[in-house]
Amino acid sequence: MTRLVLVLGDQLTPDVAALRAADKARDVVVMAEVGEEGRYVPHHPKKIALILSAMRHFAQELERDGWSVAYTRLDDPENAGTITGELLRRAEEHGATDVIATRPGEWRLVAALDGLPIPVQMHEDDRFVCSHREFEAWAEGRKQLRMEYFYRQMRRKTGLMMDGDSPVGGKWNFDHDNRKPAQDDMLRAAPMQFTPDAITGDVLDLVEARFGQHFGQLRQFWFAVTREQARRALDHFARHLLAGFGDYQDAMLRGDRFLHHSVLSPYLNIGLLSPLEICERVEREWRAGRVPINAAEGYIRQVIGWREYMRGIYFREGPDYPRRNALNHQRALPGLYWGGETGMECLKRAVEQTGAEGYAHHIQRLMVTGNFALLAGVNPTELHEWYLAVYADAFEWVEAPNTVGMSQFADGGIVGSKPYVSSGNYIDKMSDYCGACAYSVKKKTGQGACPFNLLYWHFLLRHRERFEKNPRMAQMYRTWDRMHEDKRETVISEADDFLDRLNRGEPV
Ligand code: FAD
Ligand code: SF4
């Protein structure tokens, strides 16, 4: 009897669990471009194009490899519009009675497959270093789920950057060597870019017609869309950019959108690359003496540490996680996140490059757009939907814990032991934004004072009860209490005025 083998747009890996469990001789692979997936949040056109083009290329590879593939294009008149609708249609067409699937990376799709009226054989997605069971075992009985300890376990498990039982260089973490500001450098390489082929060209026309009104620019489109291209992008990163990754991973420059970042997450998250192949390549560069230890360790920590940890949290916490709101923040997402006018150079730049590339690096997401939303008390679910929509690498299992947990503290402190908030000083130290800003980062109050400076105190006061006993924040409350009363009043009333302007939708 024929079975259907579901391959989703982020499962484009030749040995993904469902394909391993299937029989090429009798089963039919189902792949479907469906409107629902493109619209449940208004995804960036580049992200939609990346996924559709990579799906079409992958389907061709499967067919070359001898699989029969039932592929539904977005503009197919028979298209049922949803993944489950397509599975039912194909089941009837092929007389199939069962579905073989790899567990989706999103609760919404897990529930949709669970609700199918035909039996679904669900296989764990084992393209990760840590299984759900292993994460549960690690988390069990711990008061706090700190990434650093999880990361050490992953280092021991994989043997990456290990000398026997000990970390190479005698330390698990070389972060103190990192976090340097960067200078403009005309010679710095950019991520590898690819010219669209005919398949991608068709996809771009389709996406333009169907999703052209979504936030973000479709062209220039230069992402890798095959495994072979993604491997070349990895090779290019390892050779030309990795060496500076550690030093400059927190830096931001107006003239350089990527600095030493790899821009590999879009490929990794749809299955064109695997976490271990990336990390093994990075370790090889270090063992060959071509990159410093802080670059290699720092990079590997992001992939087998943060990325795996975030996935563990998402599935451990359950389907309601993206809607948590521990700080009860209710402000609507300001229009500037969709490109509305602002004089705040840091936000303007981060949003502008997000629109242009479907990409911003970690510190732009965390300390610019995330920090501002947290200080301004933006509703975390609205913010989560924004991040999910606008980044080419955004899939809920990794985006939600980063946004709701790490960036907004909306999970009440599961991911972070304290909120990631800062005044304008941090942005000034790590970037060249402030020099070009309509506001002055040096001004704490008065006309033209940096809004981050005002809102920082406003945030701390709003949540005094929750945070003043946190040992890592107590000092800030002491500083506030020592401030002259007049100054405190001015800070709060100017912050209130600023927030009122945001509420009224005025440009800020
Ligand atoms: P690099 O800086 O080159 O880092 C290397 C790799 O490490 C990345 O490719 C990524 O796979 C991994 N990585 C680094 N940091 C993290 C992290 N915190 N969590 C998970 N993986 C990490 N990452 C996503 O993949 N998808 C998302 O939707 C996403 N949303 C985010 C939302 C917010 C609010 C924040 C603060 C972070 C988010 N991140 C997300 C994490 C991180 O910003 C991106 O992984 C990174 O910017 C991707 O660019 P890169 O490939 O150039 O990364
Ligand atoms: Fe951002 Fe403030 Fe610097 Fe302007 S002055 S770029 S608002 S941190």
Side-chain angles (χ1 to χ4, degrees):
M1 190 57 96
T2 304
R3 298 168 303 177
L4 301 181
V5 189
L6 177 65
V7 175
L8 295 169
D10 61 351
Q11 297 178 343
L12 309 180
T13 313
D15 64 348
V16 72
L19 287 171
R20 289 206 314 273
D23 179 355
K24 220 183 256 184
R26 65 171 174 133
D27 297 331
V28 175
V29 175
V30 173
M31 294 180 72
E33 304 172 357
V34 291
E36 183 188 53
E37 296 306 305
R39 277 201 195 89
Y40 71 95
V41 293
H43 294 290
H44 196 299
K46 268 200 173 91
K47 174 185 187 181
I48 302 176
L50 165 71
I51 295 172
L52 298 192
S53 177
M55 283 173 71
R56 290 184 184 192
H57 283 92
F58 187 71
Q60 271 193 350
E61 279 170 38
L62 289 179
E63 277 170 345
R64 272 200 296 272
D65 200 28
W67 288 96
S68 37
V69 182
Y71 192 97
T72 310
R73 291 180 176 228
L74 197 62
D75 50 5
D76 184 335
E78 310 272 282
N79 193 325
T82 61
I83 298 288
T84 47
E86 274 301 291
L87 281 170
L88 292 176
R89 185 169 79 86
R90 295 299 190 182
E92 204 174 308
E93 183 182 325
H94 294 276
T97 48
D98 284 57
V99 173
I100 307 177
T102 308
R103 191 176 156 92
E106 194 175 337
W107 287 112
R108 182 182 60 89
L109 281 173
V110 173
L113 294 186
D114 281 349
L116 268 179
I118 43 175
V120 180
Q121 228 186 76
M122 190 83 90
H123 294 265
E124 279 311 311
D125 189 346
D126 52 10
R127 296 172 301 161
F128 293 86
V129 177
C130 184
S131 68
H132 295 313
R133 194 172 309 135
E134 198 179 349
F135 191 84
E136 286 307 313
W138 172 78
E140 190 59 39
R142 283 175 195 261
K143 271 210 199 113
Q144 292 189 316
L145 303 182
R146 290 292 155 251
M147 196 291 294
E148 190 62 32
Y149 297 107
F150 170 77
Y151 166 57
R152 292 178 192 178
Q153 184 157 320
M154 293 302 104
R155 288 272 294 279
R156 289 194 186 95
K157 177 178 180 183
T158 57
L160 284 162
M161 304 290 282
M162 296 293 289
D163 269 341
D165 291 338
S166 309
V168 293
K171 279 194 303 186
W172 293 102
N173 182 318
F174 289 81
D175 242 5
H176 72 89
D177 297 341
N178 299 343
R179 314 216 161 111
K180 299 189 174 80
Q183 304 295 323
D184 278 318
D185 180 356
M186 299 288 286
L187 300 178
R188 186 163 28 234
M192 183 168 257
Q193 307 202 348
F194 300 88
T195 308
D197 63 4
I199 294 179
T200 304
D202 284 349
V203 165
L204 292 178
D205 292 342
L206 181 69
V207 171
E208 190 157 48
R210 298 276 175 125
F211 305 103
Q213 77 288 7
H214 287 190
F215 170 82
Q217 292 142 38
L218 179 60
R219 296 180 163 92
Q220 295 287 330
F221 181 90
W222 52 263
F223 285 136
V225 290
T226 63
R227 183 166 165 65
E228 185 269 328
Q229 289 181 335
R231 278 187 173 158
R232 281 167 55 205
L234 165 61
D235 182 64
H236 172 85
F237 166 70
R239 283 172 195 269
H240 303 294
L241 289 159
L242 172 62
F245 177 82
D247 285 357
Y248 303 117
Q249 63 177 285
D250 289 5
M252 298 172 279
L253 285 180
R254 295 167 67 232
D256 192 334
R257 291 170 174 167
F258 307 105
L259 286 142
H260 289 266
H261 293 276
S262 63
V263 197
L264 293 178
S265 53
Y267 315 143
L268 185 55
N269 293 351
I270 61 174
L272 300 183
L273 294 172
S274 86
L276 279 183
E277 82 179 305
I278 296 182
C279 292
E280 282 161 6
R281 176 64 202 272
V282 166
E283 177 171 5
R284 276 204 304 280
E285 290 299 306
W286 172 70
R287 292 214 181 258
R290 290 191 287 264
V291 304
I293 195 165
N294 66 318
E297 184 283 315
Y299 193 89
I300 286 172
R301 176 158 24 92
Q302 310 308 314
V303 178
I304 64 166
W306 280 113
R307 184 170 184 269
E308 298 280 335
Y309 168 85
M310 290 302 188
R311 178 170 181 263
I313 296 286
Y314 176 75
F315 281 106
R316 180 179 164 79
E317 289 301 313
D320 75 309
Y321 187 82
R323 283 176 298 287
R324 300 216 185 144
N325 191 354
L327 300 181
N328 192 25
H329 281 174
Q330 301 297 353
R331 194 174 312 284
L333 186 70
L336 66 89
Y337 281 75
W338 298 111
E341 199 186 322
T342 176
M344 303 171 77
E345 183 70 8
C346 51
L347 279 161
K348 189 158 101 189
R349 289 284 166 173
V351 171
E352 197 174 82
Q353 81 162 70
T354 299
E357 310 286 0
Y359 177 85
H361 72 66
H362 187 65
I363 293 303
Q364 293 171 308
R365 298 187 207 194
L366 185 65
M367 299 312 291
V368 179
T369 44
N371 186 14
F372 182 76
L374 179 56
L375 294 179
V378 169
N379 180 281
T381 309
E382 275 195 43
L383 188 73
H384 145 68
E385 288 175 357
W386 182 80
Y387 281 105
L388 188 59
V390 301
Y391 290 112
D393 61 14
F395 295 87
E396 196 173 275
W397 64 267
V398 55
E399 176 279 324
N402 268 296
T403 305
V404 173
M406 181 189 266
S407 152
Q408 298 300 297
F409 205 82
D411 65 2
I414 295 169
V415 168
S417 56
K418 80 182 229 334
Y420 276 96
V421 281
S422 81
S423 66
N425 279 347
Y426 175 85
I427 295 173
D428 191 31
K429 190 170 134 222
M430 297 313 303
S431 79
D432 63 357
Y433 294 146
C434 298
C437 186
Y439 295 92
S440 164
V441 73
K442 302 283 179 245
K443 285 189 82 170
K444 309 296 177 209
T445 55
Q447 182 69 28
C450 168
F452 282 86
N453 293 345
L454 298 168
L455 294 178
Y456 178 72
W457 294 116
H458 199 272
F459 171 88
L460 287 182
L461 283 194
R462 288 201 310 268
H463 299 296
R464 182 161 196 152
E465 214 174 303
R466 183 184 281 266
F467 294 125
E468 78 176 332
K469 296 211 169 54
N470 183 322
R472 296 173 64 199
M473 298 178 75
Q475 174 61 34
M476 295 318 299
Y477 285 99
R478 283 199 289 275
T479 305
W480 172 257
D481 291 340
R482 279 199 303 269
M483 224 182 263
H484 195 281
E485 203 179 321
D486 289 351
K487 184 162 177 200
R488 284 189 292 186
E489 273 172 22
T490 310
V491 169
I492 295 308
S493 89
E494 289 185 7
D496 280 334
D497 286 349
F498 180 87
L499 292 172
D500 286 345
R501 275 165 49 215
L502 264 192
N503 286 349
R504 291 195 298 270
E506 290 172 17
V508 289

